[in-house]
Amino acid sequence: MAVSLLDRLGVRGAGPGGRAPVATLALIALCLLTVLVSPSSGFNPAYGTGPARACAEQRYEQRWGAVPAELTSGRPLDAEQLAALPKATPDCALAPTPGKLPVLSVLSSLFVHAGWLHLLGNVLFLFVFGPGLEERLGRLRFLLLYLTVGYLAAYGYALAETGRPDGLRAVVGASGAIAGVLGGYLRLYPRARVTALVPALLFLPLRLPAWLVLGLWFVLQWWSVRSGGPGVAYLVHVIGFATGYLAVRPAPARRIRWPRPPWQGEAS
């Protein structure tokens, strides 16, 4: 069923081999389950509503997200650093988490998302571009690329932000790893046609080449880094995309071996 659905949507990856993109779908499922059990889902009454839930979301993200200052220091934030953070609500209390391992927080942060819209935006890109890359690399190499790029993007961002105010804020979401998938897809399938919704044309769906869609996406992320767009770690996207593009190598072109004329001897 997954293969048939992907075929109907024009998604590469369900193609000649006929194999379902198990790794891609498993990553999407894990992201979905993580949001369901988090305060961001809105389904768990234990987290409360309104200001109480907003505070619970901030505590949850600080606990399971990747904090740049923690990644570079190797230890969780102390009470003084947490006190310097802007609070979700005036009475929101943030306590240190001594058992937190910063190096593992990168892994957990790849599945934690700040709400349903954040999740939808990420998994949509993964659903469209992940199958093609998984088919070419194989499931194990695809997962290894995904996680490696996610780690490199998180630590690259940490090095850039430590010592700044945003260095104390948790980064959550699979954006860095998925940006790596986009970069790898562009390297392997630059001329593939993908369906894109164009805002300037009232979100009219158009079939455009991947180099145009993903190239414009990268330029937009880079411009957002330069302009200092608030609330989103755009540098994570830039690092992830560039790393994924450089990490994936297209298959070498096949040399055509023409038949040797009978009167010509073997070359030495």
Side-chain angles (χ1 to χ4, degrees), residues 60-79:
Y60 188 88
E61 291 175 6
Q62 288 293 136
R63 173 66 181 87
W64 299 107
V67 180
E70 293 179 342
L71 296 183
T72 54
S73 68
R75 60 179 183 272
L77 297 182
D78 56 30

Side-chain angles (χ1 to χ4, degrees), residues 94-233:
L94 300 177
T97 52
K100 182 179 181 180
L101 296 175
V103 68
L104 293 182
S105 69
V106 177
L107 180 62
S108 60
S109 72
L110 294 178
F111 300 98
V112 176
H113 287 79
W116 292 107
L117 288 178
H118 186 204
L119 173 70
L120 179 62
N122 277 343
V123 300
L124 180 61
F125 277 98
L126 183 57
F127 179 76
V128 171
F129 296 101
L133 194 59
E134 180 183 343
E135 182 180 281
R136 177 68 70 88
L137 299 181
R139 292 166 185 164
L140 184 58
R141 289 178 61 198
F142 174 78
L143 287 174
L144 182 61
L145 174 75
Y146 185 91
L147 296 176
T148 301
V149 171
Y151 263 84
L152 291 175
Y155 272 94
Y157 180 76
L159 290 173
E161 292 297 327
T162 297
R164 300 180 180 181
D166 281 347
L168 300 177
R169 297 171 59 114
V171 178
V172 296
S175 303
I178 295 174
V181 172
L182 303 186
Y185 188 95
L186 177 61
R187 187 74 182 271
L188 294 178
Y189 307 111
R191 295 184 178 86
R193 293 278 174 171
V194 295
T195 302
L197 301 179
V198 182
L201 299 178
L202 301 178
F203 294 95
L204 179 69
L206 298 177
R207 298 283 287 176
L208 301 172
W211 67 264
L212 178 60
V213 175
L214 297 179
L216 288 176
W217 181 88
F218 179 77
V219 169
L220 178 61
Q221 306 310 304
W222 177 252
W223 179 82
S224 298
V225 171
R226 301 288 294 177
S227 62
V232 179

